[in-house]
């Protein structure tokens, strides 16, 4: 819960859709895209934009962008402006770099040697200063503070291996991905196709789904050969909103071409030195919705496994297990099941109070919880009993301390805190808005006597080893069946075998970043 209170924001989200069959399509492309992004609004709510295209050789782009919530930006009248279209991409954003202004809203359109390209970008580049200098040195001007503009300019830049008279967009994408090793997912719309690309380390999620006929949606057993199009998204949880079925993840470093006819893998860009992939482990802990699929496993299942490991590492004599509503519910159920203790609700949330992180200072943040504005107690469920309270995180300690006090004042005999993630100690530079090192409770002297500081009887975090083993427990790496006509793997010791090397970015826990930072 404290991650939300801190304003630790989910990454941005991208979504794309292309219809199959005859064009012009009968499908309502703008509404499909808008609904798809509703399923991703937990990843960003500061601004949003949609660009649609008719898919002609000289395409007509229609654009609408706005600052604010998705349902405010995309009214029925605004969506009507995006007709008639056969494909489109969309972006929802919270601010990682640059100000939340209309000029920084994505997607962007850039005129290139390849023609017009529309681009939407998720997350943040780690070598931004160097890329800015390189572009400026080549006489390329930059008009915004967004690193997404740098990506569009790199796409427009002609790579050395490209012949002047034969524009090759895929060569430009490859060049971009070599220049920027991490952390991003990209959608690029060019003429009648959408290109999807995931950074070589696979730090950010990106997956593809099949849009199936409405008549087949409720028939889960039927493997429909019919389809109405393809969708690509930062999270599979968005597919349910539009009647799409999960197809597969885009691999780390992979460039995929999505047309109305097929999905085709074009290339895989290797990582330097044969390094393992580094998928953001924070997705499992907090960012992703529980029904999302990553690495062929559901996020809910991983969270359940994490807290069962926590129960092994930190058991406690208690009468019941509960959670801070509502984010730690799967973890509380997992802990209760492993310890054979009843799961009982002890707190309830007031949904009509705004998020406490938007209040301007620490005193008001603390009062926002302590004065019962946001949390209520179900005291009849726990009077005289020993509670194990599960939370997904304790970052500063501002949120959990008043809750512990509230429970004890309301009759709890003991309150033991168990945290379903390791202590956060380091900032993230991959597009996550995490506080500075000085703000983390784990970096303060009080951490040595954290239970006393918070007013709890005990406080234990999940270990880093326990987190990683729980995440990787359900991952099965299968050898990819690679056909030369379908995929081109660059053979420099970093081919398909390397992509089977599982790995996760834990930099905000360990301070070990998987690439050299550019500042």
């Amino acid at each position: 819960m404290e991650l939300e209170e801190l304003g630790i924001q989910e990454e941005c989200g991208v979504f794309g859709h292309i219809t199959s069959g005859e064009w012009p399509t009968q499908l309502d492309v703008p509404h499909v895209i808008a609904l798809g992004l509703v399923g991703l609004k937990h990843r960003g709510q500061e601004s949003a934009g949609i660009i649609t295209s008719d898919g002609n050789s000289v395409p007509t782009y229609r654009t609408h962008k706005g600052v604010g919530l998705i349902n405010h930006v995309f009214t029925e009248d605004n969506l009507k402006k995006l007709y008639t279209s056969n494909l489109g991409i969309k972006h929802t954003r919270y601010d990682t770099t640059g100000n939340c202004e209309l000029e920084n809203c994505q997607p962007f359109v850039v005129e290139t040697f390849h023609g017009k390209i529309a681009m939407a970008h998720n997350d943040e580049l780690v070598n931004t200063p160097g890329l800015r200098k390189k572009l400026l040195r080549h006489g390329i001007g930059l008009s915004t503070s967004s690193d997404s503009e740098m990506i569009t300019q790199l796409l427009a830049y002609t790579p050395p291996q490209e012949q002047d008279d034969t524009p090759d967009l895929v060569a430009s994408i490859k060049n971009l991905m070599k220049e920027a090793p991490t952390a991003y997912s990209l959608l690029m719309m060019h003429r009648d196709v959408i290109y999807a690309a995931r950074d070589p380390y696979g730090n950010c999620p990106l997956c593809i789904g099949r849009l199936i006929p409405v008549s087949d949606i409720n028939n889960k057993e039927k493997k429909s050969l019919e389809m109405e199009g393809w969708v690509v998204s930062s999270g599979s949880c968005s597919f349910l909103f539009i009647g799409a079925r999960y197809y597969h993840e885009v691999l780390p470093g992979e460039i995929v071409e999505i047309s109305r006819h097929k999905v085709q893998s074009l290339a895989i860009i290797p990582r330097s030195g044969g390094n393992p992939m580094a998928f953001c482990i924070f997705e499992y802990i907090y960012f992703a919705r529980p029904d999302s699929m990553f690495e062929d496993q559901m996020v809910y299942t991983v969270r359940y496994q994490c807290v069962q490991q926590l129960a092994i590492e930190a058991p406690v004599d208690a009468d019941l297990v509960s959670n801070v509503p509502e984010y730690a519910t799967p973890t509380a159920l997992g802990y209760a099941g492993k310890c054979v203790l009843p799961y009982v609700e002890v707190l309830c949330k007031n949904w009509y109070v705004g998020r406490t992180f938007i209040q301007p200072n620490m005193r008001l943040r603390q009062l926002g919880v302590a004065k019962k504005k946001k949390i209520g107690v179900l005291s009849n469920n726990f009077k005289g009993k020993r509670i194990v309270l599960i939370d997904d995180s304790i970052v500063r300690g501002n949120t959990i301390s008043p809750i512990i006090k509230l429970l004890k004042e309301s009759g709890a005999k003991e309150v033991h805190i168990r945290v379903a993630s390791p202590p956060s100690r380091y900032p993230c530079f991959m597009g996550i808005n995490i506080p500075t090192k000085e703000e983390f409770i784990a970096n303060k002297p009080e951490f040595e006597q954290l239970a006393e500081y918070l007013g709890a009887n005990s406080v234990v975090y999940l270990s880093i080893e326990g987190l990683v083993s729980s995440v990787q427990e359900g991952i099965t790496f299968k050898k990819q069946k690679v056909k030369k006509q379908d995929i081109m793997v660059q053979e420099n010791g970093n081919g398909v075998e390397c992509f089977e090397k599982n790995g996760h970015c834990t930099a905000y826990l360990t301070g070990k970043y998987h690439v050299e930072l550019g500042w």
Side-chain angles (χ1 to χ4, degrees), residues 116-137:
K116 282 187 178 181
I117 300 172
M119 191 281 298
H121 158 249
N122 179 29
D123 262 11
E124 187 173 346
L125 304 181
V126 297
N127 57 339
T128 299
L131 288 178
R132 289 187 70 91
K133 288 179 182 178
K134 183 170 185 176
L135 288 171
L136 293 172
R137 196 162 50 241

Side-chain angles (χ1 to χ4, degrees), residues 4-200:
E4 181 207 25
E5 306 300 335
L6 285 169
I8 293 180
Q9 304 271 9
E10 298 87 354
E11 305 157 359
C12 308
V14 294
F15 188 90
H17 170 46
I18 184 168
T19 61
S20 57
E22 295 297 321
W23 287 1
T25 182
Q26 299 301 308
L27 277 179
D28 188 342
V29 172
H31 276 84
V32 169
I33 297 173
L35 282 174
L37 212 51
V38 167
L40 295 177
K41 69 178 183 179
H42 62 288
R43 303 186 74 90
Q45 300 192 66
E46 290 189 0
S47 66
I50 292 179
I51 294 180
T52 61
S53 170
D54 54 14
N56 292 332
S57 56
V58 181
T60 300
Y61 285 147
R62 295 174 176 84
T63 304
H64 182 72
K65 303 179 187 181
V67 175
L69 299 176
I70 292 171
N71 57 329
H72 295 156
V73 174
F74 299 109
T75 63
E76 287 296 321
D77 288 340
N78 290 333
L79 289 175
K80 287 177 182 177
K81 299 174 185 176
L82 301 173
Y83 296 130
T84 301
S85 52
N86 297 310
L87 66 161
I89 59 175
K90 187 177 176 184
H91 184 272
T92 187
R93 179 179 189 263
Y94 91 90
D95 187 44
T96 58
T97 60
N99 299 318
C100 186
E101 297 175 351
L102 192 59
E103 67 177 12
N104 285 323
C105 292
Q106 298 183 49
F108 291 128
V109 176
V110 60
E111 186 75 53
T112 75
F113 190 40
H114 317 286
K116 282 187 178 181
I117 300 172
M119 191 281 298
H121 158 249
N122 179 29
D123 262 11
E124 187 173 346
L125 304 181
V126 297
N127 57 339
T128 299
L131 288 178
R132 289 187 70 91
K133 288 179 182 178
K134 183 170 185 176
L135 288 171
L136 293 172
R137 196 162 50 241
H138 283 84
I140 299 172
L142 297 169
S143 59
T144 74
S145 59
S146 171
D147 50 5
S148 302
E149 187 191 16
M150 282 189 286
I151 290 177
T152 60
Q153 296 293 0
L154 281 168
L155 287 172
Y157 175 69
T158 302
Q161 67 269 29
E162 185 177 292
Q163 299 296 323
D164 290 341
D165 58 343
T166 56
D168 184 350
L169 180 56
V170 176
S172 294
I173 298 172
K174 289 179 181 179
N175 182 67
L176 159 66
M177 295 175 72
K178 291 173 183 176
E179 293 281 356
T182 195
Y184 53 85
S185 290
L186 299 174
L187 294 184
M188 293 151 283
M189 188 166 60
H190 181 241
R191 296 177 182 167
D192 59 348
V193 299
I194 292 174
Y195 294 98
R198 190 175 172 200
D199 81 69

Side-chain angles (χ1 to χ4, degrees), residues 294-361:
F294 300 133
E295 303 175 305
D296 293 326
Q297 56 184 347
M298 187 170 283
V299 170
Y300 182 98
T301 303
V302 173
R303 290 175 182 170
Y304 195 90
Q305 290 167 182
C306 284
V307 83
Q308 288 201 317
Q309 176 63 30
L310 177 61
I312 294 171
E313 294 180 4
V316 61
D317 290 330
D319 301 305
L320 61 91
V321 177
S322 193
N323 63 287
V324 178
E326 66 181 290
Y327 307 96
T329 301
T331 49
L333 290 169
Y335 192 97
K338 192 69 174 179
C339 294
V340 196
L341 289 171
Y343 168 77
V344 179
E345 290 187 354
V346 300
L347 299 166
C348 59
K349 189 169 183 177
N350 180 357
W351 295 103
Y352 303 99
V353 176
R355 291 185 173 189
T356 54
F357 76 75
I358 65 173
Q359 297 175 355
N361 58 49

Side-chain angles (χ1 to χ4, degrees), residues 368-382:
V369 177
K371 286 194 171 182
K372 307 179 185 179
K373 289 181 178 180
K374 194 165 186 177
I375 296 291
V377 292
L378 306 172
S379 55
N380 287 348
N381 291 351
F382 63 83

Side-chain angles (χ1 to χ4, degrees), residues 246-502:
Y246 180 83
Y247 186 60
H248 65 67
E249 278 187 304
V250 177
L251 293 174
E254 188 175 20
I255 302 170
V256 179
E257 181 185 83
I258 308 172
S259 70
R260 58 174 157 168
H261 305 296
K262 61 182 177 180
V263 169
Q264 181 179 11
S265 184
L266 300 179
I268 292 180
I269 306 303
R271 297 179 289 276
S272 62
N275 295 329
M277 64 178 286
F279 180 57
C280 177
I281 209 164
F282 221 48
E283 291 282 352
Y284 287 112
I285 293 172
Y286 178 69
F287 286 148
R289 270 181 28 182
D291 55 340
S292 295
M293 292 287 295
F294 300 133
E295 303 175 305
D296 293 326
Q297 56 184 347
M298 187 170 283
V299 170
Y300 182 98
T301 303
V302 173
R303 290 175 182 170
Y304 195 90
Q305 290 167 182
C306 284
V307 83
Q308 288 201 317
Q309 176 63 30
L310 177 61
I312 294 171
E313 294 180 4
V316 61
D317 290 330
D319 301 305
L320 61 91
V321 177
S322 193
N323 63 287
V324 178
E326 66 181 290
Y327 307 96
T329 301
T331 49
L333 290 169
Y335 192 97
K338 192 69 174 179
C339 294
V340 196
L341 289 171
Y343 168 77
V344 179
E345 290 187 354
V346 300
L347 299 166
C348 59
K349 189 169 183 177
N350 180 357
W351 295 103
Y352 303 99
V353 176
R355 291 185 173 189
T356 54
F357 76 75
I358 65 173
Q359 297 175 355
N361 58 49
M362 187 175 294
R363 173 177 169 78
L364 290 181
R365 285 196 193 98
Q366 291 170 332
L367 289 174
V369 177
K371 286 194 171 182
K372 307 179 185 179
K373 289 181 178 180
K374 194 165 186 177
I375 296 291
V377 292
L378 306 172
S379 55
N380 287 348
N381 291 351
F382 63 83
K383 277 187 178 178
K385 295 184 178 180
R386 299 166 298 174
I387 300 171
V388 181
L389 192 67
I390 309 295
D391 203 353
D392 55 10
S393 64
I394 298 178
V395 183
R396 284 191 184 122
N398 296 341
T399 303
I400 196 69
S401 182
I403 290 174
I404 296 167
K405 182 179 180 182
L406 194 59
L407 289 171
K408 288 192 170 182
E409 288 176 347
S410 301
K413 184 178 179 180
E414 296 176 3
V415 179
H416 299 270
I417 302 300
R418 295 295 179 267
V419 188
S421 62
S424 303
R425 297 178 182 274
Y426 300 91
C428 173
F429 301 100
M430 315 293 172
I432 303 173
N433 183 23
I434 288 181
T436 59
K437 286 178 65 174
E438 291 72 25
E439 295 179 84
F440 292 120
I441 187 68
N443 294 330
K444 294 183 177 181
E446 294 88 347
F447 191 68
E448 296 301 320
Q449 293 85 34
L450 187 58
E452 181 181 348
Y453 177 74
L454 297 177
N457 294 86
S458 67
V459 179
V460 183
Y461 289 81
L462 178 64
S463 67
I464 295 175
E465 296 78 13
L467 169 65
V468 173
S469 65
S470 298
V471 168
Q472 296 183 356
E473 180 182 335
I475 299 175
T476 303
F477 288 91
K478 299 178 180 179
K479 221 169 188 182
Q480 303 293 328
K481 295 181 180 179
V482 180
K483 297 181 180 179
K484 289 184 179 179
Q485 64 267 31
D486 292 334
I487 191 168
M488 296 170 292
V489 180
Q490 298 189 26
E491 296 295 340
N492 61 349
N494 211 13
V496 173
E497 292 77 11
C498 181
F499 290 102
E500 295 173 357
K501 294 181 182 178
N502 57 310

